[in-house]
mmCIF file with all atom_site columns, all heavy atoms in Angstrom:
data_model
loop_
_atom_site.group_PDB
_atom_site.id
_atom_site.type_symbol
_atom_site.label_atom_id
_atom_site.label_alt_id
_atom_site.label_comp_id
_atom_site.label_asym_id
_atom_site.label_entity_id
_atom_site.label_seq_id
_atom_site.pdbx_PDB_ins_code
_atom_site.Cartn_x
_atom_site.Cartn_y
_atom_site.Cartn_z
_atom_site.occupancy
_atom_site.B_iso_or_equiv
_atom_site.pdbx_formal_charge
_atom_site.auth_seq_id
_atom_site.auth_comp_id
_atom_site.auth_asym_id
_atom_site.auth_atom_id
_atom_site.pdbx_PDB_model_num
ATOM 1   N N   . GLY A 1 179 ? -15.049 -6.887  7.646  1.00 83.00 ? 1306 GLY A N   1
ATOM 2   C CA  . GLY A 1 179 ? -13.928 -5.988  7.570  1.00 83.00 ? 1306 GLY A CA  1
ATOM 3   C C   . GLY A 1 179 ? -13.719 -5.229  8.831  1.00 83.00 ? 1306 GLY A C   1
ATOM 4   O O   . GLY A 1 179 ? -12.570 -5.048  9.325  1.00 83.00 ? 1306 GLY A O   1
ATOM 5   N N   . GLU A 1 180 ? -14.784 -4.717  9.419  1.00 80.00 ? 1307 GLU A N   1
ATOM 6   C CA  . GLU A 1 180 ? -14.663 -3.919  10.590 1.00 80.00 ? 1307 GLU A CA  1
ATOM 7   C C   . GLU A 1 180 ? -14.176 -4.727  11.821 1.00 80.00 ? 1307 GLU A C   1
ATOM 8   O O   . GLU A 1 180 ? -13.305 -4.327  12.612 1.00 80.00 ? 1307 GLU A O   1
ATOM 9   C CB  . GLU A 1 180 ? -15.972 -3.262  10.950 1.00 80.00 ? 1307 GLU A CB  1
ATOM 10  C CG  . GLU A 1 180 ? -16.328 -2.163  10.000 1.00 80.00 ? 1307 GLU A CG  1
ATOM 11  C CD  . GLU A 1 180 ? -17.784 -1.568  10.196 1.00 80.00 ? 1307 GLU A CD  1
ATOM 12  O OE1 . GLU A 1 180 ? -18.548 -2.203  10.957 1.00 80.00 ? 1307 GLU A OE1 1
ATOM 13  O OE2 . GLU A 1 180 ? -18.084 -0.495  9.576  1.00 80.00 ? 1307 GLU A OE2 1
ATOM 14  N N   . ASN A 1 181 ? -14.720 -5.941  11.916 1.00 82.00 ? 1308 ASN A N   1
ATOM 15  C CA  . ASN A 1 181 ? -14.254 -6.827  13.024 1.00 82.00 ? 1308 ASN A CA  1
ATOM 16  C C   . ASN A 1 181 ? -12.840 -7.195  12.871 1.00 82.00 ? 1308 ASN A C   1
ATOM 17  O O   . ASN A 1 181 ? -12.074 -7.302  13.854 1.00 82.00 ? 1308 ASN A O   1
ATOM 18  C CB  . ASN A 1 181 ? -15.161 -8.095  13.068 1.00 82.00 ? 1308 ASN A CB  1
ATOM 19  C CG  . ASN A 1 181 ? -16.548 -7.772  13.595 1.00 82.00 ? 1308 ASN A CG  1
ATOM 20  O OD1 . ASN A 1 181 ? -16.737 -6.761  14.277 1.00 82.00 ? 1308 ASN A OD1 1
ATOM 21  N ND2 . ASN A 1 181 ? -17.532 -8.619  13.278 1.00 82.00 ? 1308 ASN A ND2 1
ATOM 22  N N   . MET A 1 182 ? -12.412 -7.559  11.640 1.00 86.00 ? 1309 MET A N   1
ATOM 23  C CA  . MET A 1 182 ? -11.056 -7.979  11.396 1.00 86.00 ? 1309 MET A CA  1
ATOM 24  C C   . MET A 1 182 ? -10.091 -6.789  11.629 1.00 86.00 ? 1309 MET A C   1
ATOM 25  O O   . MET A 1 182 ? -8.965  -6.949  12.122 1.00 86.00 ? 1309 MET A O   1
ATOM 26  C CB  . MET A 1 182 ? -10.865 -8.508  9.977  1.00 86.00 ? 1309 MET A CB  1
ATOM 27  C CG  . MET A 1 182 ? -11.604 -9.841  9.715  1.00 86.00 ? 1309 MET A CG  1
ATOM 28  S SD  . MET A 1 182 ? -11.049 -11.168 10.711 1.00 86.00 ? 1309 MET A SD  1
ATOM 29  C CE  . MET A 1 182 ? -12.340 -11.235 12.031 1.00 86.00 ? 1309 MET A CE  1
ATOM 30  N N   . SER A 1 183 ? -10.489 -5.569  11.292 1.00 89.00 ? 1310 SER A N   1
ATOM 31  C CA  . SER A 1 183 ? -9.695  -4.360  11.522 1.00 89.00 ? 1310 SER A CA  1
ATOM 32  C C   . SER A 1 183 ? -9.451  -4.169  12.988 1.00 89.00 ? 1310 SER A C   1
ATOM 33  O O   . SER A 1 183 ? -8.358  -3.851  13.412 1.00 89.00 ? 1310 SER A O   1
ATOM 34  C CB  . SER A 1 183 ? -10.304 -3.126  10.866 1.00 89.00 ? 1310 SER A CB  1
ATOM 35  O OG  . SER A 1 183 ? -10.345 -3.245  9.473  1.00 89.00 ? 1310 SER A OG  1
ATOM 36  N N   . ARG A 1 184 ? -10.559 -4.335  13.773 1.00 86.00 ? 1311 ARG A N   1
ATOM 37  C CA  . ARG A 1 184 ? -10.403 -4.230  15.229 1.00 86.00 ? 1311 ARG A CA  1
ATOM 38  C C   . ARG A 1 184 ? -9.446  -5.131  15.836 1.00 86.00 ? 1311 ARG A C   1
ATOM 39  O O   . ARG A 1 184 ? -8.589  -4.910  16.633 1.00 86.00 ? 1311 ARG A O   1
ATOM 40  C CB  . ARG A 1 184 ? -11.770 -4.328  15.916 1.00 86.00 ? 1311 ARG A CB  1
ATOM 41  C CG  . ARG A 1 184 ? -12.617 -3.046  15.830 1.00 86.00 ? 1311 ARG A CG  1
ATOM 42  C CD  . ARG A 1 184 ? -13.776 -3.150  16.764 1.00 86.00 ? 1311 ARG A CD  1
ATOM 43  N NE  . ARG A 1 184 ? -14.732 -4.182  16.384 1.00 86.00 ? 1311 ARG A NE  1
ATOM 44  C CZ  . ARG A 1 184 ? -15.689 -4.047  15.572 1.00 86.00 ? 1311 ARG A CZ  1
ATOM 45  N NH1 . ARG A 1 184 ? -15.938 -2.865  14.987 1.00 86.00 ? 1311 ARG A NH1 1
ATOM 46  N NH2 . ARG A 1 184 ? -16.521 -5.027  15.333 1.00 86.00 ? 1311 ARG A NH2 1
ATOM 47  N N   . SER A 1 185 ? -9.606  -6.457  15.347 1.00 91.00 ? 1312 SER A N   1
ATOM 48  C CA  . SER A 1 185 ? -8.682  -7.513  15.810 1.00 91.00 ? 1312 SER A CA  1
ATOM 49  C C   . SER A 1 185 ? -7.241  -7.222  15.446 1.00 91.00 ? 1312 SER A C   1
ATOM 50  O O   . SER A 1 185 ? -6.328  -7.296  16.273 1.00 91.00 ? 1312 SER A O   1
ATOM 51  C CB  . SER A 1 185 ? -9.116  -8.858  15.262 1.00 91.00 ? 1312 SER A CB  1
ATOM 52  O OG  . SER A 1 185 ? -8.196  -9.865  15.571 1.00 91.00 ? 1312 SER A OG  1
ATOM 53  N N   . TRP A 1 186 ? -6.990  -6.778  14.191 1.00 90.00 ? 1313 TRP A N   1
ATOM 54  C CA  . TRP A 1 186 ? -5.648  -6.588  13.683 1.00 90.00 ? 1313 TRP A CA  1
ATOM 55  C C   . TRP A 1 186 ? -4.941  -5.428  14.419 1.00 90.00 ? 1313 TRP A C   1
ATOM 56  O O   . TRP A 1 186 ? -3.767  -5.468  14.661 1.00 90.00 ? 1313 TRP A O   1
ATOM 57  C CB  . TRP A 1 186 ? -5.672  -6.360  12.180 1.00 90.00 ? 1313 TRP A CB  1
ATOM 58  C CG  . TRP A 1 186 ? -4.367  -6.237  11.517 1.00 90.00 ? 1313 TRP A CG  1
ATOM 59  C CD1 . TRP A 1 186 ? -3.644  -5.109  11.256 1.00 90.00 ? 1313 TRP A CD1 1
ATOM 60  C CD2 . TRP A 1 186 ? -3.530  -7.340  11.164 1.00 90.00 ? 1313 TRP A CD2 1
ATOM 61  N NE1 . TRP A 1 186 ? -2.447  -5.466  10.629 1.00 90.00 ? 1313 TRP A NE1 1
ATOM 62  C CE2 . TRP A 1 186 ? -2.329  -6.825  10.590 1.00 90.00 ? 1313 TRP A CE2 1
ATOM 63  C CE3 . TRP A 1 186 ? -3.643  -8.733  11.209 1.00 90.00 ? 1313 TRP A CE3 1
ATOM 64  C CZ2 . TRP A 1 186 ? -1.335  -7.603  10.107 1.00 90.00 ? 1313 TRP A CZ2 1
ATOM 65  C CZ3 . TRP A 1 186 ? -2.678  -9.524  10.673 1.00 90.00 ? 1313 TRP A CZ3 1
ATOM 66  C CH2 . TRP A 1 186 ? -1.479  -8.962  10.187 1.00 90.00 ? 1313 TRP A CH2 1
ATOM 67  N N   . THR A 1 187 ? -5.723  -4.382  14.711 1.00 91.00 ? 1314 THR A N   1
ATOM 68  C CA  . THR A 1 187 ? -5.107  -3.161  15.284 1.00 91.00 ? 1314 THR A CA  1
ATOM 69  C C   . THR A 1 187 ? -5.000  -3.270  16.779 1.00 91.00 ? 1314 THR A C   1
ATOM 70  O O   . THR A 1 187 ? -4.256  -2.579  17.411 1.00 91.00 ? 1314 THR A O   1
ATOM 71  C CB  . THR A 1 187 ? -5.876  -1.952  14.888 1.00 91.00 ? 1314 THR A CB  1
ATOM 72  O OG1 . THR A 1 187 ? -7.187  -2.078  15.288 1.00 91.00 ? 1314 THR A OG1 1
ATOM 73  C CG2 . THR A 1 187 ? -5.841  -1.672  13.401 1.00 91.00 ? 1314 THR A CG2 1
ATOM 74  N N   . SER A 1 188 ? -5.791  -4.120  17.455 1.00 91.00 ? 1315 SER A N   1
ATOM 75  C CA  . SER A 1 188 ? -5.859  -4.072  18.934 1.00 91.00 ? 1315 SER A CA  1
ATOM 76  C C   . SER A 1 188 ? -5.107  -5.259  19.595 1.00 91.00 ? 1315 SER A C   1
ATOM 77  O O   . SER A 1 188 ? -4.835  -5.257  20.783 1.00 91.00 ? 1315 SER A O   1
ATOM 78  C CB  . SER A 1 188 ? -7.326  -4.096  19.411 1.00 91.00 ? 1315 SER A CB  1
ATOM 79  O OG  . SER A 1 188 ? -8.000  -5.262  19.012 1.00 91.00 ? 1315 SER A OG  1
ATOM 80  N N   . ILE A 1 189 ? -4.822  -6.317  18.835 1.00 94.00 ? 1316 ILE A N   1
ATOM 81  C CA  . ILE A 1 189 ? -4.199  -7.507  19.414 1.00 94.00 ? 1316 ILE A CA  1
ATOM 82  C C   . ILE A 1 189 ? -2.741  -7.606  18.996 1.00 94.00 ? 1316 ILE A C   1
ATOM 83  O O   . ILE A 1 189 ? -2.440  -7.763  17.810 1.00 94.00 ? 1316 ILE A O   1
ATOM 84  C CB  . ILE A 1 189 ? -4.985  -8.798  18.976 1.00 94.00 ? 1316 ILE A CB  1
ATOM 85  C CG1 . ILE A 1 189 ? -6.367  -8.771  19.506 1.00 94.00 ? 1316 ILE A CG1 1
ATOM 86  C CG2 . ILE A 1 189 ? -4.242  -10.040 19.431 1.00 94.00 ? 1316 ILE A CG2 1
ATOM 87  C CD1 . ILE A 1 189 ? -7.218  -9.964  19.149 1.00 94.00 ? 1316 ILE A CD1 1
ATOM 88  N N   . PRO A 1 190 ? -1.809  -7.607  19.943 1.00 95.00 ? 1317 PRO A N   1
ATOM 89  C CA  . PRO A 1 190 ? -0.365  -7.900  19.652 1.00 95.00 ? 1317 PRO A CA  1
ATOM 90  C C   . PRO A 1 190 ? -0.219  -9.371  19.399 1.00 95.00 ? 1317 PRO A C   1
ATOM 91  O O   . PRO A 1 190 ? -0.130  -10.187 20.328 1.00 95.00 ? 1317 PRO A O   1
ATOM 92  C CB  . PRO A 1 190 ? 0.317   -7.419  20.951 1.00 95.00 ? 1317 PRO A CB  1
ATOM 93  C CG  . PRO A 1 190 ? -0.714  -7.553  22.015 1.00 95.00 ? 1317 PRO A CG  1
ATOM 94  C CD  . PRO A 1 190 ? -2.049  -7.331  21.383 1.00 95.00 ? 1317 PRO A CD  1
ATOM 95  N N   . ARG A 1 191 ? -0.150  -9.780  18.140 1.00 95.00 ? 1318 ARG A N   1
ATOM 96  C CA  . ARG A 1 191 ? -0.174  -11.185 17.830 1.00 95.00 ? 1318 ARG A CA  1
ATOM 97  C C   . ARG A 1 191 ? 1.230   -11.654 17.479 1.00 95.00 ? 1318 ARG A C   1
ATOM 98  O O   . ARG A 1 191 ? 2.090   -10.913 17.016 1.00 95.00 ? 1318 ARG A O   1
ATOM 99  C CB  . ARG A 1 191 ? -1.073  -11.400 16.630 1.00 95.00 ? 1318 ARG A CB  1
ATOM 100 C CG  . ARG A 1 191 ? -0.678  -10.777 15.403 1.00 95.00 ? 1318 ARG A CG  1
ATOM 101 C CD  . ARG A 1 191 ? -1.764  -10.365 14.463 1.00 95.00 ? 1318 ARG A CD  1
ATOM 102 N NE  . ARG A 1 191 ? -1.342  -9.317  13.562 1.00 95.00 ? 1318 ARG A NE  1
ATOM 103 C CZ  . ARG A 1 191 ? -1.291  -8.037  13.814 1.00 95.00 ? 1318 ARG A CZ  1
ATOM 104 N NH1 . ARG A 1 191 ? -1.801  -7.618  14.980 1.00 95.00 ? 1318 ARG A NH1 1
ATOM 105 N NH2 . ARG A 1 191 ? -0.872  -7.181  12.917 1.00 95.00 ? 1318 ARG A NH2 1
ATOM 106 N N   . VAL A 1 192 ? 1.447   -12.946 17.629 1.00 97.00 ? 1319 VAL A N   1
ATOM 107 C CA  . VAL A 1 192 ? 2.699   -13.717 17.239 1.00 97.00 ? 1319 VAL A CA  1
ATOM 108 C C   . VAL A 1 192 ? 2.285   -14.840 16.334 1.00 97.00 ? 1319 VAL A C   1
ATOM 109 O O   . VAL A 1 192 ? 1.298   -15.522 16.647 1.00 97.00 ? 1319 VAL A O   1
ATOM 110 C CB  . VAL A 1 192 ? 3.478   -14.202 18.459 1.00 97.00 ? 1319 VAL A CB  1
ATOM 111 C CG1 . VAL A 1 192 ? 4.669   -14.983 18.041 1.00 97.00 ? 1319 VAL A CG1 1
ATOM 112 C CG2 . VAL A 1 192 ? 3.878   -13.013 19.351 1.00 97.00 ? 1319 VAL A CG2 1
ATOM 113 N N   . THR A 1 193 ? 3.013   -15.041 15.300 1.00 97.00 ? 1320 THR A N   1
ATOM 114 C CA  . THR A 1 193 ? 2.692   -16.172 14.377 1.00 97.00 ? 1320 THR A CA  1
ATOM 115 C C   . THR A 1 193 ? 3.814   -17.176 14.429 1.00 97.00 ? 1320 THR A C   1
ATOM 116 O O   . THR A 1 193 ? 5.019   -16.805 14.219 1.00 97.00 ? 1320 THR A O   1
ATOM 117 C CB  . THR A 1 193 ? 2.514   -15.670 12.941 1.00 97.00 ? 1320 THR A CB  1
ATOM 118 O OG1 . THR A 1 193 ? 1.469   -14.699 12.889 1.00 97.00 ? 1320 THR A OG1 1
ATOM 119 C CG2 . THR A 1 193 ? 2.143   -16.858 12.025 1.00 97.00 ? 1320 THR A CG2 1
ATOM 120 N N   . GLN A 1 194 ? 3.453   -18.393 14.709 1.00 98.00 ? 1321 GLN A N   1
ATOM 121 C CA  . GLN A 1 194 ? 4.480   -19.519 14.720 1.00 98.00 ? 1321 GLN A CA  1
ATOM 122 C C   . GLN A 1 194 ? 4.129   -20.505 13.608 1.00 98.00 ? 1321 GLN A C   1
ATOM 123 O O   . GLN A 1 194 ? 3.007   -20.869 13.554 1.00 98.00 ? 1321 GLN A O   1
ATOM 124 C CB  . GLN A 1 194 ? 4.531   -20.208 16.105 1.00 98.00 ? 1321 GLN A CB  1
ATOM 125 C CG  . GLN A 1 194 ? 4.987   -19.303 17.222 1.00 98.00 ? 1321 GLN A CG  1
ATOM 126 C CD  . GLN A 1 194 ? 5.078   -20.036 18.543 1.00 98.00 ? 1321 GLN A CD  1
ATOM 127 O OE1 . GLN A 1 194 ? 4.781   -21.202 18.659 1.00 98.00 ? 1321 GLN A OE1 1
ATOM 128 N NE2 . GLN A 1 194 ? 5.485   -19.325 19.552 1.00 98.00 ? 1321 GLN A NE2 1
ATOM 129 N N   . GLN A 1 195 ? 5.104   -20.813 12.735 1.00 98.00 ? 1322 GLN A N   1
ATOM 130 C CA  . GLN A 1 195 ? 4.777   -21.638 11.558 1.00 98.00 ? 1322 GLN A CA  1
ATOM 131 C C   . GLN A 1 195 ? 5.737   -22.828 11.489 1.00 98.00 ? 1322 GLN A C   1
ATOM 132 O O   . GLN A 1 195 ? 6.901   -22.743 11.822 1.00 98.00 ? 1322 GLN A O   1
ATOM 133 C CB  . GLN A 1 195 ? 4.895   -20.802 10.302 1.00 98.00 ? 1322 GLN A CB  1
ATOM 134 C CG  . GLN A 1 195 ? 3.900   -19.676 10.256 1.00 98.00 ? 1322 GLN A CG  1
ATOM 135 C CD  . GLN A 1 195 ? 4.033   -18.722 9.033  1.00 98.00 ? 1322 GLN A CD  1
ATOM 136 O OE1 . GLN A 1 195 ? 5.178   -18.506 8.595  1.00 98.00 ? 1322 GLN A OE1 1
ATOM 137 N NE2 . GLN A 1 195 ? 2.992   -18.222 8.504  1.00 98.00 ? 1322 GLN A NE2 1
#
Side-chain angles (χ1 to χ4, degrees):
E1307 290 174 348
N1308 288 337
M1309 294 299 97
S1310 293
R1311 281 194 295 272
S1312 175
W1313 187 262
T1314 56
S1315 64
I1316 296 178
R1318 64 209 161 274
V1319 175
T1320 303
Q1321 297 183 359
Q1322 297 176 324

